[in-house]
Amino acid sequence: MFHPVPKPRFRLVCCPYLGASASAFSPLAAAFPPSVEVLSVQYPGRRGGGAEPAAADIGELAGRIHDELRPWREGPPLAVLGHSMGAAVAFELTRALERGGGAPVRLFVSGRPSPSAGLGLRPLETDDDLIDELRALGGVSPKLLGRPAFRRMILSVTRQDYRLNSTYLRPPDETVSCPVTFLLSSEDPYVDRVAALAWKGHTEASFRLAEFPGDHFFWTARTAEFVTAILEDLDC
């Protein structure tokens, strides 16, 4: 939790992208009004969570997050947000919450094809392959990648995340009960409009596509617009 809110109307649980830690959503959290309290997930292997063993798959990872959310399942309604690999985690987390109590009011996803679409990712066998992928994504500062200690840490978590993300696949009829919003950027190399619309088949409720200019990490440059789209769907 970045900014505790005394009486929020909603809590937004954010699931980071491949290689990222919970702090990736810190600027986004600061952009929300006091009506929304933002919680960001820390995956295993990051600072503060290094002792926790890696998850076998995204379903197991989502189950762990579900258990950690117990203190926040009472009170204001939850919504879930996930970007890139985090979109798959968010989908599985939403399903876990719907099964186990505290069902989210809405799922927000971006940067990833639907759960039933394979990613077709090429094998990343060497450290250089992983570094090239991170540089292509643009989600990590080149200066940080040049620091040996940071490079070792980010390679470890990226390799783990890449395995989880590349092997994730669900049947076409697997759905969530809540509405889904897909936040699509115009020049995302990993998902186009057709792929984004395929998420419509994974909800039993309504679906909305919100479109923005930008690349895979468009929301870092268009934070205000991104937040406004979320607030519109939360009606706050």
Side-chain angles (χ1 to χ4, degrees):
M1 184 186 303
F2 297 109
H3 308 285
V5 176
K7 294 182 179 180
R9 289 185 57 195
F10 296 94
R11 286 191 173 116
L12 180 66
V13 181
C14 298
C15 301
Y17 49 90
L18 182 149
S21 66
S23 62
F25 288 110
S26 182
L28 185 67
F32 277 94
S35 56
V36 179
E37 186 172 64
V38 177
L39 310 176
S40 189
V41 173
Q42 186 81 310
Y43 298 149
R46 277 69 168 175
R47 188 180 307 165
E52 189 175 3
D57 54 41
I58 282 181
E60 181 188 321
L61 178 59
R64 293 185 192 178
I65 299 166
H66 171 269
D67 292 342
E68 292 294 324
L69 281 173
R70 290 186 191 279
W72 290 278
R73 296 213 303 253
E74 300 292 332
L78 292 175
V80 182
L81 165 70
H83 177 68
S84 198
M85 182 187 97
V89 178
F91 179 77
E92 291 298 320
L93 175 59
T94 298
R95 284 174 54 80
L97 287 165
E98 289 178 344
R99 292 191 301 266
V105 294
R106 197 169 195 103
L107 170 61
F108 297 91
V109 286
S110 61
R112 195 186 194 284
S114 75
S116 58
L119 293 182
L121 295 175
R122 66 185 179 90
L124 299 183
E125 298 175 353
T126 68
D127 288 353
D128 287 342
D129 286 338
L130 289 167
I131 291 296
D132 288 345
E133 183 72 8
L134 289 171
R135 284 180 173 145
L137 280 171
V140 181
S141 164
K143 289 184 179 180
L144 289 177
L145 289 174
R147 297 177 182 174
F150 180 85
R151 184 184 173 104
R152 285 193 298 272
M153 185 275 290
I154 196 65
L155 283 173
S156 174
V157 300
T158 299
R159 187 172 285 106
Q160 172 184 307
D161 289 357
Y162 197 88
R163 174 182 60 80
L164 296 179
N165 195 32
S166 63
T167 57
Y168 177 78
L169 188 65
R170 289 294 181 264
D173 60 352
E174 193 163 285
T175 60
V176 295
S177 299
C178 68
V180 172
T181 297
F182 194 97
L183 303 137
L184 174 67
S185 57
S186 59
E187 297 181 37
D188 192 326
Y190 296 99
V191 55
D192 58 17
R193 198 171 192 275
V194 172
L197 287 170
W199 276 88
K200 187 175 182 179
H202 289 278
T203 175
E204 298 170 17
S206 62
F207 174 85
R208 183 169 87 94
L209 181 67
E211 300 185 68
F212 306 83
D215 59 15
H216 188 62
F217 288 101
F218 70 102
W219 51 274
T220 61
R222 296 186 173 271
T223 303
E225 296 166 59
F226 190 80
V227 167
T228 295
I230 292 171
L231 294 175
E232 286 175 356
D233 284 344
L234 292 179
D235 192 26
C236 66

